[in-house]
Structure formats: C-alpha cells, structure tokens
C-alpha cells in the first residue's frame, strides 16, 4: 500500500516529551539562528518569559554560518536585565547568562557551591568561572530549579502539545518526562473530559538521589491512572547526544580525543534498575552511543544470571554494534528509534562517527534478532511526523542502511489495543485528512 495514503489505527509516537512539546511553542525559537548576531533580532513574545526568566529552545552552533562555541558574555550583552535559559536543539545542554548562573547558584569557583558534585558537567572558561553552558546532569538539574509552570499553565501547554500531535496524525503517545506537576495537570484535564490523547507515561529521574521520590510519585500516580493515562515506568539518562558529542561511543569522535560521557556508574545504574523493577515499573534507559547501549546490555545480562529480570526499553539506540545486538535476545528488551533524527543530523553524522557509521539506525538487525522496535520523533527535538520517518528510512536505505521488514508506519502503531479504542487516522497524500480519538472526530 502507498504509505502516503492509508488509515492507521492507534497512530503512535513512541518517544516524546509531551510538556516539552507545549513549552517549545512558547519559548523563543532559536533554531533559525544563523550565528551570534541573530541574538539581536530574535522574536521575543511575552509568553517566552516565565516570571522574570527568558526561555528559549533550539540553538545549534553547528548550523550557523560560522560555528562558534557559545558563552555567557554573548547573552549578557543582549539580555543584561533578565536571567536567560536557552536549551540546545538536542536538549542536552543549556546556555545561560551570568544573571541566570547567579540565580541558580552555579556562579562559584571550581568545586565550590551547592552544585559542586556536578562539576564535570559545568564547562569553565580560562579564568576558572563557568562559561555559561550547562551539560547533561547539570542542565537537567538546572531545569528543575527554574520557576515551574502553574497547574493551569501546565494544562494549557499539554493541550497545545496535544493539538500538535493531532495535526501530525497521532492519537497515542509514549511520554518520557513526567513530573509531579505534569501529572497533576494531565489528570485534571482527563477528569474534566478534556484529554483527547492516549498516553503511556514514564517518570523522569534526573539524578539517582531522586529515585525514591520519583518511585513514590509513580506509585501514587499508578493508583490514580485512568483508561487513557497509563503509568508505565521510569526514565533514566545513561549518555548524552551526538550533537553535543556526549553520546558514549566505543571509539573517539572523528578528529577528537574523547568518546562522549556516561552519567552513572555501573553500580548506580544497577541499583536504579533493580529498585524500579521491584517497585513494579518498566525501566527506560537513554542510550544513543554504541558503547552506552553495550554497557546496559552487559549489565542486563549479568543481572539475569543473578535472577533479576524486568521489562526494559532502550531509547534512541542510534548506533548499535552487531555484537551488542547478538546479546539482546531473551532480555525482555524493546528498542525505540527515531528515524527523523537523520533528517537533521545527516550533514555531520558520517563525519563524526567514521567507521561506526554503518551501524547507525540498526532497525533491520534488531528485527533479525527478534527485538521489538517502535518509531517516534523525540518531539520537540524533531517535529512529530509519520511522514518524516518514512522519508528518513527511505533516505537511509540509499546510504546502505537496510530497511526494516515492514513499512515504517507499522512501527507507529500503539502496542496496547485496548487503549482508546476507536482511534484512527486517515492520511491522504501524506496529509492528515481525518482523525478519530476514542470514536470521536477531532477538529484539526
Ligand atoms: Zn527524548
């Protein structure tokens, strides 16, 4: 069947950030920046402020005419009066002005201050002071220190994001980053009959010390879950991103002397996985680099030998070596891939990865090994889109990356048939013509 003309039941994006997708619609759009000069001509709307904070999303210095590394002084010059927090396109780094560093208490000499345990994620300038970038753990921690949206702001953000998913054809999502506030807003929408989306919900743990608190939150949420809002598991970051060169590889990035970085020790991750399984939750681990995935698969194998096994999801798996895939059988693993990352990363992916490039987007090899796979977008990192994934799979086939066994839309069907029955999307010429959620027609 022509993939551009079809009816898809339970059209599903298997990896999104629901609240982040709504947030992205209000933040200063930074994806179009051509360079540092663009800071002066950004379109800044009142809703881009949360309290006094100016929030932005989507800068990527690799896409600038003259790529250069960013620093706090660049923001200080243009925004001297407001704390600024700009999220990188891959969401694994934040760019802050000096005021913001001070307000979040990152403005301390090396190894001092309340965030000294995050030192390795706080790049410093030659003078020893923070450069204005926060990476990985430090970035995610800083995110929790910003003023939180109120419940009603949060409801509006989730509703706007839902509209974005509908327009792209989705009735079902798997959300990766729920917080207490988001859960409160989502259940409130649902009780009011205003939730027109089926959500498989995961709770984000950004620091191992937070795990007991997050497990408690997930437990309470599960007691209150509804037919369309299902609590599934816990999401843990293990490595970073390819764009920031923090995804953990088995060899150095081409022309560099580093392989990326991991966020937790084996011992830490083992304890987090065990505790989450014993509390009855699935575990989702963010692994983009081939070595990150190999580490986790080795750990799961060891745990299995000791009688510990539970449902585990590997998120992204953008690069997997054949020896890692061979070890995945019988580990209750599911893999979630986002073909559309190719559309943004194709200009530099082969160059960065060198001899690892043939192992990117390993859908065919995973299927041959009997590992279930699903497709998504990582929205707002990429726009949610069935069509972009179709296009990326086709482009990658031309690069020598074997196609999956089925049409790509096959991997965008929610695996839980009882969830919001009577939901389907009709695509015509690649556009959404009609969308029904739980038997009800949605105005697009
Ligand atoms: Zn993600």
């Amino acid at each position: 069947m022509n993939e551009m003309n079809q009816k898809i039941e339970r059209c599903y994006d298997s990896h999104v950030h629901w609240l982040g997708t709504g947030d992205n619609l209000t933040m200063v759009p930074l994806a179009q920046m051509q360079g540092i000069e663009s800071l002066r001509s950004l379109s800044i709307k009142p809703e881009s402020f949360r309290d006094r904070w100016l929030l932005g999303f989507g800068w990527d210095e690799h896409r600038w005419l003259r790529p250069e590394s960013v620093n706090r002084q660049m923001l200080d010059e243009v925004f001297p009066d407001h704390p600024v927090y700009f999220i990188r396109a891959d969401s694994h780094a934040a760019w802050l002005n000096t005021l913001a560093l001070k307000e979040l208490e990152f403005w301390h000499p090396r190894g001092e201050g309340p965030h000294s345990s995050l030192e390795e994620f706080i790049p410093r300038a030659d003078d020893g002071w923070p450069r204005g970038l926060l990476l990985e753990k430090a970035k995610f921690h800083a995110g929790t220190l910003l003023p939180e949206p109120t419940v009603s702001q949060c409801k509006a953000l989730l509703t706007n994001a839902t509209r974005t998913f509908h327009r792209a054809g989705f009735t079902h999502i798997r959300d990766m980053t729920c917080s207490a506030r988001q859960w409160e807003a989502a259940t409130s929408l649902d009780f009011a009959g205003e939730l027109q989306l089926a959500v498989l919900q995961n709770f984000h743990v950004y620091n191992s010390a937070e795990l007991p608190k997050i497990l408690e939150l997930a437990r309470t949420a599960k007691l209150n879950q509804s037919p369309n809002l299902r609590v599934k598991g816990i999401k843990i970051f293990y490595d970073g991103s390819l764009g920031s060169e923090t995804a953990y590889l088995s060899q150095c990035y081409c022309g560099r002397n580093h392989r990326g970085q991991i966020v937790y020790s084996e011992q830490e991750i083992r304890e987090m996985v065990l505790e989450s399984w014993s509390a009855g939750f699935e575990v989702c681990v963010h692994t983009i680099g081939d070595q990150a995935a190999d580490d986790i698969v080795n750990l799961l194998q060891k745990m299995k030998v000791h009688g510990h096994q539970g449902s585990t999801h590997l998120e992204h798996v953008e690069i997997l070596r054949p020896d890692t895939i061979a070890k995945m059988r019988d580990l209750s693993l599911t893999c979630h891939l986002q073909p559309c990352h190719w559309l943004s990363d194709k200009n530099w992916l082969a160059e960065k990865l060198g001899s690892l490039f043939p192992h990117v987007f390993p859908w065919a090899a995973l299927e041959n090994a009997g590992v279930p796979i699903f497709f998504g977008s990582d929205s707002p990192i990429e726009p949610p889109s069935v069509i972009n994934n179709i296009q990326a799979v086709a482009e990658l086939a031309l690069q020598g990356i074997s196609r999956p066994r089925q049409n790509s839309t096959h991997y965008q069907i929610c695996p839980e048939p009882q969830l919001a029955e009577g939901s389907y999307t009709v695509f015509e010429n690649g556009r959404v013509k009609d969308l029904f959620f739980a038997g009800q027609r949605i105005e697009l």
Side-chain angles (χ1 to χ4, degrees):
M1 199 203 317
N2 180 348
E3 286 188 275
M4 297 292 171
N5 293 296
Q6 60 174 320
K7 175 178 161 185
I8 304 177
E9 305 239 5
R10 304 188 307 282
C11 189
Y12 171 62
D13 190 315
S14 92
H15 181 123
V16 304
H17 304 278
W18 184 13
L19 190 65
T21 301
D23 253 339
N24 178 36
L25 301 169
T26 62
M27 290 185 182
V28 183
L30 306 173
Q32 302 311 321
M33 282 180 71
Q34 301 275 312
I36 259 332
E37 324 69 67
S38 308
L39 281 179
R40 296 193 180 272
S41 52
L42 292 172
S43 90
I44 294 173
K45 294 173 286 187
E47 60 262 37
S48 300
F49 287 91
R50 192 177 297 156
D51 295 352
R52 294 173 48 245
W53 284 77
L54 180 63
L55 307 179
F57 175 77
W59 57 273
D60 180 353
E61 71 279 18
H62 296 299
R63 294 184 206 153
W64 294 352
L65 299 175
R66 275 179 295 109
E68 57 185 312
S69 31
V70 302
N71 60 44
R72 61 189 168 84
Q73 290 90 342
M74 296 167 172
L75 294 176
D76 290 347
E77 259 181 53
V78 188
F79 308 107
D81 303 325
H82 292 274
V84 175
Y85 183 86
F86 283 173
I87 301 169
R88 196 174 190 281
D90 59 13
S91 196
H92 284 256
W95 177 17
L96 294 81
N97 63 356
T98 310
L99 198 54
L101 289 165
K102 286 180 178 166
E103 295 219 1
L104 300 183
E105 297 190 83
F106 281 93
W107 191 248
H108 288 277
R110 192 184 302 276
E112 291 178 25
H115 311 307
S116 56
S117 66
L118 301 172
E119 189 60 52
E120 62 174 308
F121 303 101
I122 309 171
R124 287 177 182 273
D126 293 340
D127 63 6
W129 289 93
R131 223 175 79 195
L133 259 183
L134 299 177
L135 307 176
E136 306 298 331
K137 252 183 173 172
K139 183 262 173 187
F140 293 114
H141 183 58
T144 68
L145 304 174
L146 299 176
E148 233 191 335
T150 63
V151 176
S152 76
Q153 284 171 330
C154 208
K155 281 162 72 173
L157 293 171
L158 295 176
T159 304
N160 287 343
T162 301
R163 230 171 267 141
T164 301
F165 292 125
H166 285 163
R167 288 197 195 113
F170 296 102
T171 53
H172 291 57
I173 60 166
R174 178 167 166 271
D175 178 47
M176 305 313 299
T177 26
C178 197
S179 61
R181 181 61 53 86
Q182 179 184 324
W183 179 257
E184 192 183 347
T187 47
S188 154
L189 283 173
D190 195 25
F191 290 147
E194 291 165 14
L195 180 69
Q196 295 178 309
L197 194 65
V199 184
L200 300 182
Q201 194 64 80
N202 295 290
F203 288 82
H204 178 202
V205 180
Y206 54 86
N207 191 327
S208 54
E210 298 285 319
L211 183 66
K213 199 177 89 189
I214 303 294
L215 284 176
E216 192 46 47
L217 168 64
R219 248 185 238 114
T220 318
K222 197 162 184 169
L223 294 174
N224 297 307
Q225 67 180 356
S226 72
N228 291 336
L229 218 42
R230 313 303 294 172
V231 174
K232 304 303 282 188
I234 298 298
K235 155 86 180 291
I236 304 168
F237 277 95
Y238 184 59
D239 71 343
S241 79
L242 290 163
S244 297
E245 296 185 0
T246 47
Y248 187 49
L249 305 180
S250 56
Q251 60 187 46
C252 285
Y253 285 86
C254 278
R256 312 269 185 191
N257 57 4
H258 65 89
R259 304 197 284 143
Q261 81 199 123
I262 51 170
V263 179
Y264 297 110
S265 68
E266 180 182 328
Q267 172 73 6
E268 277 177 308
I269 221 115
R270 186 177 189 279
E271 280 169 19
M272 291 168 83
V273 170
L274 262 186
E275 276 176 49
S276 306
W277 281 347
S278 12
F281 295 106
E282 299 178 349
V283 176
C284 316
V285 191
H286 168 113
T287 54
I288 290 189
D290 66 311
Q291 195 52 48
D294 194 64
D295 283 5
I296 299 298
V297 168
N298 290 339
L299 173 67
L300 294 174
Q301 274 195 324
K302 275 192 243 172
M303 291 172 80
K304 190 180 175 189
V305 170
H306 290 96
H308 303 298
Q309 205 175 3
S311 174
T312 312
H313 298 258
L314 292 187
E315 309 299 325
H316 311 301
V317 288
E318 197 158 325
I319 316 154
L320 287 176
R321 302 193 308 268
D323 60 298
T324 306
I325 295 174
K327 291 180 282 195
M328 286 182 163
R329 281 178 194 276
D330 310 319
L331 287 177
S332 303
L333 266 174
T334 304
C335 286
H336 300 268
L337 299 112
Q338 299 87 40
C340 52
H341 281 315
W342 167 253
L343 303 176
S344 296
D345 299 356
K346 59 182 161 190
N347 291 333
W348 45 258
L349 194 60
E351 203 179 308
K352 259 189 211 284
L353 295 180
S355 63
L356 287 174
F357 182 73
H359 305 311
V360 299
F361 300 103
W363 29 71
L366 283 167
E367 282 192 298
N368 289 339
V371 178
I373 59 169
F374 291 93
F375 285 175
S377 66
D378 206 7
S379 171
I381 309 301
E382 294 290 333
S385 166
V386 168
I387 304 304
N388 286 0
N389 279 344
I390 294 172
Q391 185 193 334
V393 167
E395 284 189 18
L396 281 158
L398 298 175
Q399 299 285 325
I401 305 301
S402 305
R403 281 178 177 274
R405 286 186 193 164
Q406 316 263 357
N407 279 344
S408 13
T409 45
H410 174 83
Y411 309 97
Q412 305 227 238
I413 297 171
C414 179
E416 303 202 9
Q418 75 292 356
L419 197 62
E421 277 179 72
S423 299
Y424 63 88
T425 311
V426 180
F427 286 89
E428 195 179 81
N429 299 323
R431 286 171 190 275
V432 180
K433 187 175 168 246
D434 244 335
L435 184 138
F436 283 79
F437 177 75
Q440 211 189 335
R441 186 169 189 199
I442 304 290
E443 229 32 79
L444 295 170

